Amino acid sequence: MAELTTEQRRALWADFMRVNTEAIGITKVDLRAAVDAIDTWIDANAASLNSAIPQPARGALSTAQKARLLALVALKRYGG
Amino acid sequence: MATGDALLEFHPTANEPPASNYAALGFRNAQAHLAFDADTNESAVFAGILPNHYAAGGINVVLVWRATSATTGNVRWQVAVERQNDEGLDTDSDSFATAIEATAAAPGTAGMVQYTTVALSNSEIDGLVVNERFRLKVTREANDGTNDTMTGDAELVHVYIREQ
């Protein structure tokens, strides 16, 4: 799956700023760079993540289901 | 009146918002504010009468604001005046004068307020004279990628006007 489009990244960046209430000590440009880098990293490591999921889940779960699992595990581990 | 003397003040609840892209009313610790987005230019509009004691020396519009979450970066503010003189303006459409801009840094703590002064000379207030009605439009120029660098909302908590 390709990286997000420029507009998708911009919308995600804007959404994050609207919902975030924790103190944040970087500028809009710095935050946008983080969005871009995370999306690029996910794109580069998607296959590695998929291979880390054991069977039969790897074959049975949809891409969207795996994405939700990744998001929930990350939130549980690191807060959110 | 002397330099620095107060002319008017506006609380967030006095906002007469534009039809679109308006700063939303919110509350933080039971204190009202108008939230200006970080990605879309949003505005608030306040109406008043210029007091008779204004000495025509220009005005300082002071914006009292805080950041929702940011502790760094700058906000680019715009202030514009629309004169509504006696039988002189059709109020069915907007007629704001050229906006005057100022850039201000976010306080180091998100809940603290920043006082940002935007100076308008007597010629920059749309020809307004004493005892006339006017509107004051306050905009966060969030689309200014060079000067508006602060993440998250800017929360306007008060506006007051002083004589220059």
Side-chain angles (χ1 to χ4, degrees):
Chain A
M1 185 172 288
E3 294 179 355
L4 297 176
T5 64
T6 299
E7 174 53 27
Q8 286 173 320
R9 286 180 171 184
R10 188 207 62 76
L12 190 157
W13 165 78
D15 286 345
F16 177 86
M17 288 194 289
R18 290 189 185 106
V19 300
N20 176 63
T21 55
E22 286 186 82
I24 182 168
I26 57 174
T27 65
K28 289 196 286 190
V29 171
D30 296 332
L31 180 63
R32 177 55 192 271
V35 170
D36 294 352
I38 290 170
D39 183 43
T40 298
W41 183 88
I42 287 177
D43 187 65
N45 291 279
S48 174
L49 172 68
N50 189 56
S51 65
I53 300 172
Q55 293 290 12
R58 187 193 314 160
L61 296 176
S62 69
T63 300
Q65 287 172 319
K66 293 172 188 173
R68 285 187 211 107
L69 275 178
L70 172 63
L72 289 170
V73 171
L75 285 171
K76 181 63 75 176
R77 285 181 64 95
Y78 302 111
Chain B
M1 291 291 282
T3 296
D5 284 347
L7 295 171
L8 289 166
E9 66 172 303
F10 303 107
H11 187 260
T13 54
N15 179 30
E16 296 178 348
S20 62
N21 294 335
Y22 50 84
L25 180 65
F27 292 86
R28 181 168 173 178
N29 192 28
Q31 299 172 55
H33 66 254
L34 295 167
F36 291 75
D37 194 77
D39 183 49
T40 303
N41 290 4
E42 292 181 337
S43 300
V45 180
F46 305 96
I49 303 288
L50 188 64
N52 189 59
H53 54 256
Y54 172 61
I59 61 173
N60 284 332
V61 177
V62 182
L63 309 174
V64 186
W65 64 279
R66 63 193 173 209
T68 294
S69 55
T71 59
T72 190
N74 295 328
V75 172
R76 185 71 162 175
W77 293 105
Q78 284 187 340
V79 171
V81 172
E82 177 194 71
R83 177 190 188 191
Q84 297 184 352
N85 51 324
D86 188 12
E87 294 191 73
L89 178 73
D90 182 349
T91 58
D92 283 336
S93 59
D94 293 342
S95 181
F96 288 96
T98 302
I100 307 302
E101 299 177 324
T103 303
T109 300
M112 291 183 176
V113 295
Q114 179 70 277
Y115 289 65
T116 300
T117 299
V118 185
L120 287 81
S121 68
N122 200 47
S123 62
E124 292 170 331
I125 57 174
D126 202 23
L128 184 67
V129 299
V130 296
N131 299 318
E132 282 185 344
R133 186 175 195 269
F134 71 99
R135 293 194 300 165
L136 181 76
K137 186 176 186 180
V138 179
T139 302
R140 178 183 178 182
E141 202 177 358
N143 289 338
D144 182 338
T146 301
N147 296 301
D148 191 289
T149 60
M150 190 187 86
T151 61
D153 286 350
E155 300 172 349
L156 186 67
V157 295
H158 224 107
V159 177
Y160 65 90
I161 299 176
R162 292 188 178 279
E163 180 108 32
Q164 278 189 16

